[in-house]
Amino acid sequence: MGTATAGQSSKERTAWHNWAGNITATPARTVTPASVGELQETVRRAAEDGLRVKAVGTGHSFTAAAATDGVLVRPQALAGIRSIDRAAGTVTVAAGTVLKDLNLALAAAGLSLTNMGDIMEQTVSGATSTGTHGTGRDSASIAAQIRGLELVTADGRLLTCSEKENPEVFAAARLGIGALGIVTAITFAVEPIFFLTAREEPMGFDRVTAEFEEHFAENEHFEFYWFPHTGNCNTKRNNRSQGPAAPPGPVSAWIEDELLSNGLFQAVNSLGRAVPATIPSIARVASRALSARTYTDIPYKVFTSPRRVRFVEMEYALPRGQVVEALRELRAMVDRSGLRISFPVEVRTAPADDITLSTASGRDTAYIAVHMYKNTPYHAYFTAAEAIFTAHGGRPHWGKVHTRDAGYFAEAYPRFGEFLALRDRLDPDRVFGNDYLRRVLGD
């Protein structure tokens, strides 16, 4: 599964842009190290040259967290499973491994992560470093499933971190936003592969919000989507089952996952961008197009789905008890505004965890995510939504659009100062700094 290509360095200035196309950067050089040793040397040389260093995965963040005018490190050659420890229930994987490849390899070995997000195109290091999560009553983000990691620090050293080894670094570096070093390997907790039964069902906005806590308590994984300009939602409940696998039929799967969720959705968003006045009518039709269905499969086939319609996203983590009120305020704001929103709003949950800058650090959490189709003006919508989310003590996803700064985060995260002190120790010269980190962490 791993690759063994020679390390490559490009001295030509080549522009980089993220998946959504809203962030671009032109690094002085781009490096694809083929070994951890080459990566260490890359960091040392950059520091000597007075250049900053950032690692970039597949560009699925909507912020400039990985942007740099210095040295851009592409870790894709550092890929593959290093080892599986069935007795300990762990897998150690190189940082450039794409989640899809990890999921396929684990399934072939009869293993699985406990929880995951809804796409699997990111590298494992990119996903965990920005706080990628799915939804779960008891199981948390991908970063919360980390049991150990390796980190190249600003002086080129390789640190091994776990609860027993460099525990203060481990507490923070599981979700480090690229500020503490470059992750080279991650050890995840895994378990024997299991089945999930998914139940997808349309439901009215008033009902799903009134029953939110009930749905949360009764299901291992509950989420729902609200379609703006309508009173319609689509709910999804994933729970473990004995199996056997009973995936959607090929026709049903194509209609739901390809035609409606990608092909038709692409077309209606393109129409909505060209003629915004059509969006409310389209939303009413689209929100009624999805039908109830139930299916059973292994975890990654239930948790994840293809996302080929490109968009820009903002997501905030709120105390779970405040999410319904915030969502109702969001709906009221959209209804009284002239905004035309073609993307559904997504609501998910996570239990409290112990990661220093996790959006669920120290509190049971629910997430509200708002989206806009690519190349569509999103500032007015996101600004109004953010005002609602911050009024409820929200914490923005580190890899999604937001306008918060270090002053805000010092209030939002009780352990913010702890993270800053660790950064000062590991990277006093800000070798891994960039404009985004200057804003969110300060100098």
Side-chain angles (χ1 to χ4, degrees):
M1 182 176 163
T3 57
T5 56
Q8 298 177 347
S9 176
S10 172
K11 293 185 179 180
E12 295 184 8
R13 282 185 170 265
T14 303
W16 167 85
H17 61 83
N18 65 342
W19 176 83
N22 67 311
I23 301 292
T24 60
T26 307
R29 58 179 182 253
T30 300
V31 180
T32 307
S35 68
V36 173
E38 284 187 16
L39 174 58
Q40 291 175 274
E41 182 57 30
T42 294
V43 172
R44 292 190 194 102
R45 187 176 304 141
E48 291 171 0
D49 294 344
L51 295 174
R52 296 182 294 183
V53 185
K54 299 303 297 180
V56 62
T58 55
H60 272 267
S61 289
F62 302 94
T63 67
T68 185
D69 58 3
V71 179
L72 189 70
V73 173
R74 290 187 171 275
Q76 279 78 354
L78 301 176
I81 288 180
R82 288 190 183 179
S83 63
I84 293 174
D85 187 336
R86 293 182 184 274
T90 60
V91 59
T92 299
V93 59
T97 307
V98 174
L99 282 167
K100 181 178 181 179
D101 295 332
L102 173 60
N103 286 332
L104 289 169
L106 287 176
L111 299 168
S112 177
L113 294 169
T114 298
N115 199 357
M116 58 193 76
D118 55 11
I119 64 169
M120 52 180 182
E121 309 304 321
Q122 314 101 309
T123 60
V124 294
S125 55
T128 55
S129 293
T130 54
T132 295
H133 62 91
T135 189
R137 181 189 61 203
D138 310 305
S139 55
S141 70
I142 303 177
Q145 297 169 69
I146 294 177
R147 296 296 175 264
L149 58 86
E150 289 179 1
L151 187 75
V152 172
T153 58
D155 57 5
R157 289 181 301 138
L158 185 66
L159 275 186
T160 302
C161 309
S162 67
E163 288 184 346
K164 295 181 179 179
E165 194 170 4
N166 296 304
E168 76 289 352
V169 180
F170 178 71
R174 284 173 287 172
L175 198 167
I177 336 170
L180 305 177
I182 296 178
V183 175
T184 58
I186 298 174
T187 298
F188 290 105
V190 292
E191 59 178 302
I193 202 163
F194 53 94
F195 288 110
L196 286 171
T197 293
R199 179 183 173 192
E200 298 175 4
E201 179 185 4
M203 191 176 293
F205 180 94
D206 292 339
R207 178 185 167 191
V208 74
T209 51
E211 298 176 354
F212 174 72
E213 280 296 323
E214 179 182 329
H215 293 306
F216 167 80
E218 291 178 353
N219 296 281
E220 293 175 75
H221 309 275
F222 175 70
E223 64 185 303
F224 69 93
Y225 299 83
W226 164 59
F227 296 84
H229 311 296
T230 81
N232 303 326
C233 297
N234 198 48
T235 64
K236 185 172 182 180
R237 286 165 266 195
N238 300 330
N239 290 287
R240 295 191 185 217
S241 70
Q242 294 300 310
V251 174
S252 170
W254 181 82
I255 291 173
E256 294 281 348
D257 300 327
E258 292 298 333
L259 177 61
L260 295 180
S261 297
N262 284 294
L264 183 60
F265 194 48
Q266 175 79 59
V268 299
N269 272 280
S270 296
L271 174 61
R273 184 173 63 190
V275 190
T278 64
I279 287 176
S281 297
I282 291 172
R284 286 189 288 272
V285 174
S287 65
R288 291 194 293 265
L290 297 172
S291 57
R293 63 172 179 166
T294 300
Y295 55 95
T296 300
D297 218 323
I298 59 175
Y300 83 84
K301 294 184 179 181
V302 173
F303 284 131
T304 70
S305 55
R307 290 284 185 269
R308 282 183 274 279
V309 181
R310 303 205 177 202
F311 55 86
V312 178
E313 180 178 359
M314 168 184 281
E315 182 178 58
Y316 264 74
L318 310 179
R320 198 184 74 236
Q322 297 193 41
V323 71
V324 169
E325 179 58 30
L327 187 64
R328 288 171 176 156
E329 291 175 18
L330 183 70
R331 182 184 181 185
M333 180 274 291
V334 170
D335 286 348
R336 68 173 178 265
S337 74
L339 296 169
R340 294 294 178 259
I341 313 301
S342 61
F343 257 81
V345 173
E346 183 179 24
V347 178
R348 295 178 287 176
T349 69
D353 64 41
D354 63 350
I355 302 172
T356 313
L357 291 189
S358 165
T359 48
S361 183
R363 72 186 191 191
D364 290 339
T365 294
Y367 298 91
I368 303 180
V370 296
H371 314 70
M372 286 290 277
Y373 185 49
K374 67 175 183 179
N375 299 327
T376 300
Y378 60 82
H379 183 264
Y381 179 34
F382 284 12
T383 298
E386 190 172 42
I388 293 169
F389 302 153
T390 55
H392 288 274
R395 298 167 176 170
H397 189 296
W398 294 106
K400 299 179 184 179
V401 175
H402 68 89
T403 66
R404 301 298 89 187
D405 60 16
Y408 183 88
F409 293 123
E411 298 292 328
Y413 287 94
R415 298 168 64 189
F416 190 68
E418 177 185 327
F419 188 94
L420 297 187
L422 180 63
R423 185 192 188 203
D424 286 341
R425 176 160 71 85
L426 293 179
D427 187 15
D429 298 323
R430 304 298 189 254
V431 172
F432 302 115
N434 64 4
D435 292 342
Y436 178 73
L437 291 181
R438 184 179 298 111
R439 171 163 68 90
V440 301
L441 299 180
D443 268 333

